[in-house]
Amino acid sequence: MKKILLFSLPIILTFSVMSCNDRFEGDEILNTEALKIDSVKIAQDTMDVLTTQTIKTYSNYTAKCEGFYGYDYLHTSEFERKVISYKFKTTAACGDLVTKSSQINFNPQKIGTYLFKFYNGQDSAGQNIYIQKNIVVR
């Protein structure tokens, strides 16, 4: 049994290394940048403390070459949060514009009214614009 294990171990390791390398082949990520959040869906504007609620954001991406990268979730004060979405762009050939959703799980630890500011682009003067939503936590 030990001989079989010792013989098969190098083979398993070889296939493991090969499969890891396959993950990085293909399209290369060129950059990441802030992405305008077009709309926000909050299921409940009132919720209980220490419970979790999913908040969905919707943004437009160019199909095949762009995708969701992540959020900046900033605690700007005790009851204020700024949410900025980021997209990545790859070397793949781009397609049509599509709308995709992403989500944040909100789990408040204190009672109060939380103000969420979701990044919605910039105005003509270069100032950030935000979609504002309140969630009352009791």
Side-chain angles (χ1 to χ4, degrees):
M1 183 70 173
K2 287 183 183 180
K3 288 182 182 181
I4 293 173
L5 183 59
L6 289 175
F7 174 75
S8 61
L9 189 59
I11 294 171
I12 293 170
L13 288 175
T14 301
F15 282 115
S16 296
V17 170
M18 287 172 58
S19 66
C20 287
N21 289 339
D22 288 343
R23 290 184 210 146
F24 298 104
E25 287 182 20
D27 303 317
E28 179 182 339
I29 293 179
L30 297 174
N31 63 13
T32 60
E33 61 185 58
L35 175 65
K36 176 182 171 186
I37 296 173
D38 295 309
S39 63
V40 178
K41 182 181 178 187
I42 297 175
Q44 300 173 338
D45 60 359
T46 302
M47 64 184 287
D48 294 328
V49 70
L50 303 176
T51 61
T52 301
Q53 175 176 196
T54 299
I55 300 170
K56 286 192 175 186
T57 64
Y58 297 85
S59 297
N60 292 320
Y61 299 88
T62 306
K64 301 181 185 174
C65 67
E66 292 180 337
F68 177 75
Y69 186 75
Y71 287 112
D72 267 346
Y73 184 83
L74 308 169
H75 293 241
T76 52
S77 71
E78 186 174 18
F79 293 104
E80 184 178 289
R81 308 290 185 262
K82 279 189 183 174
V83 179
I84 303 170
S85 182
Y86 288 88
K87 67 178 178 180
F88 65 85
K89 183 162 179 102
T90 68
T91 56
C94 294
D96 297 329
L97 201 62
V98 295
T99 300
K100 294 183 181 179
S101 68
S102 301
Q103 70 182 36
I104 299 168
N105 291 324
F106 177 52
N107 184 304
Q109 304 298 304
K110 289 186 175 182
I111 294 172
T113 300
Y114 290 77
L115 172 62
F116 281 83
K117 294 182 175 183
F118 297 91
Y119 177 75
N120 186 244
Q122 293 184 335
D123 63 16
S124 58
Q127 298 295 317
N128 290 344
I129 302 169
Y130 294 96
I131 297 171
Q132 296 188 26
K133 300 283 186 178
N134 286 312
I135 299 177
V136 176
V137 177
R138 47 189 164 114

